[in-house]
Amino acid sequence: MLQCHVKGCNANNFPLELQEVVLEEQEAELNEDFLRNMLGKLEYEALVATCLKLNIQDLPPTIPEDAAYNDDFLQKLHHALLETHVITGKMVCPNCQHTYVIRDGIPNMLLAEHEV
Amino acid sequence: MLPTPDLSHLKQADYNHVYEPSEDTFLFLDAFEDDQKYLETLKPAISLEIGSGSGCVTAFVGKILGESSCLKLCTDINPRAARATVATVRQNKLTADVVETSLVEGLLPRLKGKIDLMYFNPPYVLTPSEDVGSRTIEASWAGGIDGREVIDQFLPFVKDLLSPKGAFYLVVIEENKPEEICNILHQDGFDSAKIRTRAAGRERLHILKFTRRTAPEDKH
């Protein structure tokens, strides 16, 4: 959901590409209502592309028509969204190549003075 | 009465770098407790706290909403505060996604119109302008002229981030000129309410709540 915000970088800058990633899986309670709520807010293509980079290959390329009541799909979405955490890594802008660092599970989106 | 979040993992040394929950924080918690029913009905899918500091408020809101029902986002410009937020939500058996950034930089345009619940206990203390813009604990209180410099920087984002049903809660003191803040957001289409007020030492604290003005009924 994060996007490059370097001044003048406004095209082809999403999704940021994850690199050198260390993942952690943490079990979380599945809440179908929440996932249904999220369906309308997701940029699904970007999510799938990012998951593929992380070798999470079980999400279908498009949201199934019956997504809201497709248990199998909701389970996979739940796993990708809520149980997979990037602990360390980099997010690289596909346009300007700016690198944002993730440390302790926290992405740093701060820019240096000259980039704002 | 909901219990205050467990902060026992944070030590005095941490509070040298991260704002220690204080009267303003507790008034904010009280306001959310008052609004518990409203929040349960609102059912936010995504919440966002700006300047989450110790993480106390997001942990409290997370308890109200229930861990699995809401994706809780937090930002803080102070790296130690961002880590304190992670530790606090974890200590309270919750999760939150924390981003180290200034206000909401990097979150737009992707989160445009997607935030159902947003809250901000801003740096509201009146200080010289030069004190604004640090990435240390000073960022938690230094508000510049009228204590409004950071608040005013953020206000234009409210209309961009909030979903149609979304609500925004803001802590202010009398010197921040709450009526003026309400007027600014009124022009962006928001109704305002002062939902809590408390005197704490020299500060007169208020909690403001903003929701999108519903379109006037069509009489034709």
Side-chain angles (χ1 to χ4, degrees):
Chain A
M1 287 180 168
L2 296 170
Q3 178 171 324
C4 185
H5 60 118
V6 169
K7 191 179 176 187
C9 178
N10 1 332
N12 184 31
N13 55 2
F14 181 83
L16 296 173
E17 192 184 306
L18 286 166
Q19 294 181 1
E20 299 169 35
V21 161
V22 178
L23 288 180
E24 190 181 277
E25 297 207 354
Q26 254 168 11
E27 222 174 285
E29 184 197 348
L30 184 131
N31 181 329
E32 295 183 347
D33 271 344
F34 165 74
L35 291 169
R36 284 181 202 120
N37 260 336
M38 281 299 288
L39 284 175
K41 301 197 187 239
L42 280 178
E43 305 209 35
Y44 188 76
E45 268 179 48
L47 175 69
V48 173
T50 300
C51 283
L52 285 176
K53 290 269 178 212
L54 301 179
N55 257 329
I56 301 171
Q57 299 168 339
D58 48 2
L59 282 173
T62 53
I63 297 190
E65 271 177 40
D66 63 348
Y69 296 94
N70 182 330
D71 288 343
D72 180 52
F73 172 72
L74 290 179
Q75 174 60 48
K76 286 172 177 161
L77 185 64
H78 170 72
H79 179 69
L81 276 183
L82 299 167
E83 296 189 320
T84 312
H85 303 274
V86 177
I87 299 305
T88 57
K90 294 174 175 175
M91 300 187 296
V92 181
C93 173
N95 183 40
C96 74
Q97 304 299 313
H98 186 88
T99 300
Y100 300 93
V101 175
I102 302 174
R103 239 180 276 136
D104 305 326
I106 301 172
N108 182 347
M109 298 302 286
L110 289 168
L111 300 173
E113 293 273 324
H114 66 279
E115 296 163 325
V116 180
Chain B
M1 278 272 290
L2 287 166
T4 304
D6 179 2
L7 298 171
S8 59
H9 58 293
L10 295 177
K11 305 295 175 225
Q12 207 49 48
D14 295 307
Y15 294 132
N16 291 333
H17 305 285
V18 177
Y19 185 75
E20 180 170 6
S22 183
E23 283 299 328
D24 50 338
T25 319
F26 299 128
L27 184 65
F28 217 10
L29 300 191
D30 290 344
F32 285 115
E33 183 158 17
D34 292 344
D35 259 7
Q36 186 168 1
K37 286 251 150 52
Y38 169 83
L39 294 173
E40 284 165 4
T41 317
L42 180 69
K43 268 202 181 181
I46 306 183
S47 70
L48 171 62
E49 175 169 23
I50 297 97
S52 53
S54 67
C56 180
V57 181
T58 281
F60 191 78
V61 169
K63 287 276 184 216
I64 292 180
L65 299 174
E67 159 59 11
S68 67
S69 69
C70 180
L71 180 72
K72 296 174 286 299
L73 304 178
C74 296
T75 69
D76 207 295
I77 195 168
N78 171 355
R80 292 178 192 254
R83 279 152 184 82
T85 298
V86 171
T88 296
V89 292
R90 201 167 285 168
Q91 178 81 7
N92 289 274
K93 302 193 171 52
L94 299 162
T95 57
D97 286 296
V98 184
V99 180
E100 200 178 320
T101 195
S102 173
L103 297 175
V104 292
E105 275 177 20
L107 270 55
L108 280 165
R110 293 295 149 190
L111 286 166
K112 191 170 164 41
K114 293 185 177 175
I115 309 295
D116 299 315
L117 171 65
M118 186 158 71
Y119 44 104
F120 187 15
N121 182 355
Y124 56 63
V125 177
L126 284 60
T127 67
S129 290
E130 306 87 83
D131 294 357
V132 177
S134 96
R135 294 179 178 185
T136 66
I137 190 169
E138 195 180 29
S140 68
W141 47 267
I145 294 164
D146 289 337
R148 276 280 294 281
E149 292 189 30
V150 179
I151 294 174
D152 284 352
Q153 224 184 315
F154 180 68
L155 292 180
F157 294 116
V158 177
K159 64 175 183 314
D160 294 336
L161 285 161
L162 270 195
S163 71
K165 67 170 184 180
F168 170 50
Y169 294 76
L170 179 70
V171 180
V172 295
I173 53 171
E174 197 58 36
E175 291 83 351
N176 300 149
K177 303 175 184 163
E179 278 67 30
E180 222 176 86
I181 295 173
C182 292
N183 281 337
I184 292 171
L185 284 180
H186 189 82
Q187 296 188 357
D188 284 340
F190 289 94
D191 279 333
S192 59
K194 202 179 270 179
I195 57 170
R196 271 270 188 174
T197 291
R198 182 178 297 162
R202 284 176 304 158
E203 287 181 348
R204 190 163 177 76
L205 291 156
H206 304 285
I207 309 295
L208 306 180
K209 176 181 177 181
F210 301 90
T211 49
R212 285 193 197 273
R213 195 153 57 238
T214 40
E217 274 180 52
D218 195 346
K219 300 233 164 65
H220 301 286

